[in-house]
Every structure is written in C-alpha cells, then in structure tokens.
Amino acid sequence: IKKYIEISPSRSSKEKKYDLEVSKLSKEAESSPNGDSYEMFDDNYHTVMALSDGMGHTSKSKDISNYLIELVNYLFLISNKTSDAIESSNQILLAKTYEEVYATLDLCEFDLEKGKAFVYKAGSFPTYLIRNRTVKEISTKLPPIGIINNIRVEPEEIDIRHNDILVFLTDGFGENVKRTIEQYVQKANFLPLKNYAKFLFKKLNEGVLIEDDKTLVAIKINKS
C-alpha cells in the first residue's frame, strides 16, 4: 500500500481558522500488554486523529490496533474519503479468515479551514464534547472493525468553536464517565489542556476496579 502514497492526490494549501492542542495519557493493565494505539496525521489545514483498542489481552492486541490505524491512514491518503478508508479497512481485516482480527476505532477528521469536525466511531467507548459548561456524549451502535461485512460508518458532524474540547477514551474507565466529566466541567474552562487532561484522567481512575488498558486523548480547538 505504501507505494501508492507517492501518487496520492496532492492538496492545495489553505488558510486555517483553527488550531488544535492535544494531550494524551495512557495506563497499561498490569496483567497484559497495552492494546491501545493512537496517531494524528495531517497536511496543512486537514488533520485526522485515530484511536484504536485491539480486542483481547495478548501481545497481538497492540499489533492489531496499530495495523488498523496505519491501514486507515494509507487508504485515506489514496482515496481522500474517510468513510471509504474505514469501510475498506473493515473488509481487509475480515479477509484474515485464519484468526479473529478486530479492533475498535475512533477517528476524528478536522477541517480547520471550514471549522468542522467529523467523528467516526466503530465499537468504541463514547466520546465527549465539552462546550462551555455543557457535555455532549457521542456514541455508536456499530461493532468494532473486522467483525461484520459491509459496515457503513456515518460521522457525527460538529461545527467546532473556539475553546471546544473533545475527549476520546478507550474502555476501562467504568460507568460514570459522563457524570465525572460533568462534575468537574468547570476545570476545563480555566486549566491548561495538559493539566485538565491529567486531572480528568486521575478522577476517572478513582475507584475503578476494571483491569484494562486505558487511554484518554483530549483535543482543544483554538482560533488561529
């Protein structure tokens, strides 16, 4: 696939209206390797964040989630269509018939010129949009990538605003995530993003007995 990136369509440079600030934290389960993978890739005004949790608790979990993210990235560069890249990645994982290969996927495509964000989710933990003092949950009913044929992924479209924060999570944080974010939502308004992400990560882990990998990615939108 990589050789096709060299002939992928070039994109003209445009003026960005927004910039992104990112903070990521992870905690590995004691009994198994971390199966979470994360990457951001961009060209000028167009930025994509991908977060994946490989199913299972073996050393292959990380390989699967990392492979999925790289695959979506390569196919996106070729087609420039996010939904096509995700759906083609699903078919490729399904083609590995000799073993079960599947992973959750959070993919957020930012158009920093038009002020849009498109959140694609498959089998993943809910995402939270923090705007002022409100918290909106974005969830999915789709299974992880690599389980069913002909998956159709429709994005949640967001008109992004200055100071918006998107919080992406893998599972393992328990059942009271939205309540905790709402309880401490005022912290998002005055803490620097890095400090807020650390504070939230700590609070979400308090009293949680689930033995699983945990990754939090917080993305703040700022005017250019």
Side-chain angles (χ1 to χ4, degrees):
I1 295 173
K2 290 185 178 180
K3 68 179 181 180
Y4 289 105
I5 295 175
E6 299 175 2
I7 59 173
S8 62
S10 61
R11 304 179 183 92
S12 59
S13 176
K14 298 184 181 181
E15 182 180 352
K16 292 191 294 184
K17 294 181 181 178
Y18 296 94
D19 291 308
L20 302 178
E21 184 181 356
V22 182
S23 183
K24 171 190 169 288
L25 298 102
S26 287
K27 182 179 180 181
E28 184 174 300
E30 294 180 4
S31 60
S32 60
N34 193 334
D36 298 343
S37 294
Y38 154 83
E39 187 176 344
M40 290 195 74
F41 39 95
D42 69 290
D43 58 89
N44 192 39
Y45 78 103
H46 188 97
T47 301
V48 176
M49 187 287 306
L51 176 66
S52 178
D53 181 2
M55 296 293 96
H57 298 281
T58 70
S59 58
K60 290 184 179 180
S61 299
K62 178 75 171 183
D63 295 336
I64 294 168
S65 61
N66 189 61
Y67 174 75
L68 175 58
I69 287 179
E70 289 188 355
L71 187 58
V72 172
N73 184 8
Y74 297 152
L75 293 175
F76 171 78
L77 287 171
I78 295 169
S79 68
N80 200 27
K81 294 181 180 179
T82 306
S83 57
D84 287 353
I86 295 172
E87 290 162 16
S88 296
S89 297
N90 181 66
Q91 293 305 117
I92 291 172
L93 262 63
L94 277 170
K96 294 181 175 294
T97 55
Y98 56 89
E99 62 179 332
E100 289 187 341
V101 179
Y102 55 96
T104 68
L105 180 66
D106 271 310
L107 193 143
C108 188
E109 178 184 0
F110 293 93
D111 188 324
L112 301 177
E113 183 215 8
K114 295 180 180 178
K116 299 279 188 180
F118 303 89
V119 179
Y120 299 81
K121 300 180 68 65
S124 54
F125 200 83
T127 295
Y128 298 92
L129 169 64
I130 301 172
R131 178 172 288 168
N132 298 322
R133 293 180 179 272
T134 65
V135 180
K136 177 183 178 181
E137 182 177 286
I138 303 170
S139 58
T140 181
K141 295 181 180 179
L142 289 175
I145 299 295
I147 291 182
I148 64 172
N149 272 303
N150 302 318
I151 193 169
R152 292 291 180 263
V153 184
E154 296 294 333
E156 175 90 11
E157 182 176 340
I158 302 168
D159 292 314
I160 56 177
R161 301 179 188 175
H162 178 61
N163 285 331
D164 280 356
I165 297 176
L166 281 161
V167 179
F168 296 88
L169 304 147
T170 57
D171 59 5
F173 287 97
E175 300 179 352
N176 299 317
V177 172
K178 185 178 181 183
R179 187 184 307 172
T180 301
I181 294 175
E182 289 175 333
Q183 182 179 357
Y184 298 105
V185 70
Q186 73 277 6
K187 298 284 186 182
N189 295 323
F190 66 86
L191 283 178
L193 182 67
K194 185 176 181 180
N195 292 354
Y196 171 69
K198 286 183 177 179
F199 174 85
L200 186 59
F201 193 78
K202 178 182 178 182
K203 290 297 180 181
L204 290 174
N205 275 293
E206 288 181 354
V208 176
L209 302 178
I210 299 173
E211 181 65 20
D212 200 356
D213 306 325
K214 303 171 187 178
T215 298
L216 180 153
V217 179
I219 303 175
K220 186 174 184 179
I221 289 88
N222 299 310
K223 286 184 178 178
S224 295

